[in-house]
Amino acid sequence: MQHQFSNLACKNNHDQPITKVRLGKQLTQTDRFLCDLCNEQQPNEQILDITLVQQIINDFKKKQQESKELFLRFKSKQIYRVESNVSTLISSLIQILKELQKITENWKYYIESIDQQNCPSDFKLDVDNLIFNKWDDELKEYFVNIEEKNLNWIQKIQSKLNLFCNFQEIENCKLILQESIVLDDISPVRVKDNSISLALIYNSSFQNETCNAISINRTGKLIATCKEYNITIWDFVDGKMKSLTQLDRHKDYVSCLVFSKKVDSLISASYDKTIFCWKQLDKTKWICSQLHFQHTGPINCILLNQNENQLISGSSDQKIIIWDVDLNQNKLNYSYPLQLTAGDVEGLTMNKSETILVSCQNNKSIIIWSKGNDEKWKFQSTVTKLVQEFGSRISFLNDNQFIWVSGERESLDCICVFYNNNGQFFENQQKRIKLLKNNKEFDFHLFPICYNQEKKIMIVKHKIRIYVLRQYPDDEIKIAGVITCKSTRIFGSLTNDGQFLVYWDANGSNSGGGQYYIYKI
């Protein structure tokens, strides 16, 4: 691939092929490129192989182009729908106008025919009318007879004119145009269940650098967040965040963070295709494991089992990889892959007894995996969906029930509930939960569903909103509260006790930069 970079020169003009790229933001374009003879690395500086940089750039450009194409297809489809309704409206208008024209012509012919009639003269009757003053009565009777006939014509015309106020095509056009507009809520926070509060208690931490994942430790005292390639550890006391230290081993955006619920450990995954384990020594010191590299595409999701001896990761390489975990030893070992036929893996969930694994892909599929006699995961089936959309958010609520969230721009905007029936999962359409309509944005992936089983509450991000859902004793799932954010790039987590929601909004601050929010639930 070196011929692609033949026009590049290193900072020292060694006349050697460029092999590395320095990613420091303060560098000029001429200072970024290194050959094998260069020795320019500074402490904590991020340097990547040039072929890896090219691949990352290609991945971003591919996703960018896909987003552009999807956006333009949506706009074209929207215009086509308006055009179709306008064409139907034109045809309907022409037909009604022709009918109106015919009615008025007939009405005019009727009036003209009356005007041309010659009334017979009867002198004896004329004399009586003169003597008894019946001329006015005769004229009135003449007018009444004509008006009775005219009324029929008037009613016909009025019935046609009324149609102009009731064209379904006009209403259809209004709805289609409205689909591109997301109206601001009167209030950014709405509570529908008085048993929750959704009280904003903290929003003083600003961070313009991208945060793609947040995790809160088992005690609720530490928060791990992303800062592009790095991980920030925060002290979380009295509802406030205070930065403690920064962990920096990844070479691309961190996409996933999972704290252990048993020991003081953290697992991180990244778009650089790597996974690290981190073991805490004290508040500011963490030991990093060796690099774990098996995926060939950005990692989108990771799932740690209850015993914390197995990690499952999903990636844009269309693979799910199973890892053996030993957090006490800060070790992660590759076990085996689950190869998919198509679709980037964007969501993973496991049932309570850990006998069923479900994955969702960006090709709109949902796949069921089950454990075989050898305790290894094997393909079981593909779920038949009623909603033909992609979605990245999925979560089991118990052994036999999971929820999945639709995510396309032109979407049904809903949460679907699936139930197990003899080993096959089917949606119960009557249990479908309608979300606020928004055909302006896609539902950006990451930010997995947070489920607190004890309180039966779920945190579900969808487009620009965060929904708090509750599962009631009758098994009904309802929206208990809604937070409307300022962008689709929202990433957050829930404390283990279900008391606090922490999230980062890319456009959260008044100046348009990123900001952290903490809500008490």
Side-chain angles (χ1 to χ4, degrees), residues 347-467:
L348 292 168
T349 185
M350 196 186 302
N351 69 344
K352 186 177 179 181
S353 61
E354 300 190 345
T355 57
I356 300 173
L357 172 69
V358 180
S359 63
C360 55
Q361 289 70 229
N362 69 347
N363 68 344
K364 305 182 183 180
S365 66
I366 298 177
I367 295 178
I368 305 296
W369 310 83
S370 59
K371 277 188 178 178
N373 294 330
D374 57 359
E375 291 296 308
K376 288 189 175 183
W377 294 105
K378 293 178 174 61
F379 173 83
Q380 177 176 308
S381 61
T382 299
V383 176
T384 300
K385 292 163 55 190
L386 301 177
V387 179
Q388 295 305 312
E389 301 181 26
F390 79 81
S392 62
R393 262 163 275 287
I394 192 165
S395 176
F396 264 105
L397 304 184
N398 52 48
D399 266 347
N400 298 300
Q401 178 187 21
F402 70 80
I403 58 174
W404 170 89
V405 189
S406 65
E408 293 189 6
R409 183 191 301 276
E410 189 174 348
S411 170
L412 290 177
D413 293 320
C414 63
I415 298 175
C416 301
V417 185
F418 291 84
Y419 293 86
N420 190 352
N421 184 6
N422 297 322
Q424 298 290 322
F425 281 87
F426 300 93
E427 182 195 353
N428 185 337
Q429 197 167 352
Q430 294 180 343
K431 299 287 187 179
R432 188 178 293 175
I433 303 160
K434 292 183 179 180
L435 306 176
L436 291 168
K437 198 69 179 172
N438 179 351
N439 283 349
K440 184 178 180 180
E441 292 122 344
F442 291 99
D443 190 21
F444 193 83
H445 71 294
L446 306 180
F447 194 167
I449 295 171
C450 304
Y451 178 49
N452 183 285
Q453 192 168 20
E454 182 179 349
K455 291 188 174 182
K456 301 292 184 184
I457 62 171
M458 289 146 266
I459 304 299
V460 179
K461 182 261 183 186
H462 182 256
K463 297 184 178 178
I464 65 168
R465 295 181 176 89
I466 298 173
Y467 293 84

Side-chain angles (χ1 to χ4, degrees), residues 94-104 160 163:
I94 290 173
Q95 181 63 33
I96 293 172
L97 290 172
K98 286 181 177 180
E99 291 172 0
L100 277 170
Q101 185 180 36
K102 186 67 175 177
I103 293 170
T104 53
K160 297 297 179 183
L163 294 176

Side-chain angles (χ1 to χ4, degrees), residues 464-503:
I464 65 168
R465 295 181 176 89
I466 298 173
Y467 293 84
V468 180
L469 281 73
R470 291 202 65 181
Q471 189 173 25
Y472 294 88
D474 59 358
D475 204 33
E476 193 75 19
I477 300 173
K478 296 181 180 179
I479 297 173
V482 184
I483 301 173
T484 299
C485 304
K486 297 180 182 180
S487 73
T488 59
R489 297 182 69 87
I490 316 158
F491 309 98
S493 188
L494 185 68
T495 54
N496 289 331
D497 59 10
Q499 288 193 32
F500 297 99
L501 166 66
V502 181
Y503 71 89

Side-chain angles (χ1 to χ4, degrees), residues 81-91 169 173:
R81 291 167 62 200
V82 172
E83 183 182 46
S84 177
N85 277 276
V86 169
S87 297
T88 305
L89 180 61
I90 290 172
S91 299
E169 292 82 5
C173 286

Side-chain angles (χ1 to χ4, degrees), residues 9-12 22 27-34:
C10 69
K11 176 184 176 183
N12 300 302
R22 304 167 69 193
L27 299 173
T28 64
Q29 287 186 344
T30 55
D31 291 338
R32 291 191 184 280
F33 302 108
L34 304 176

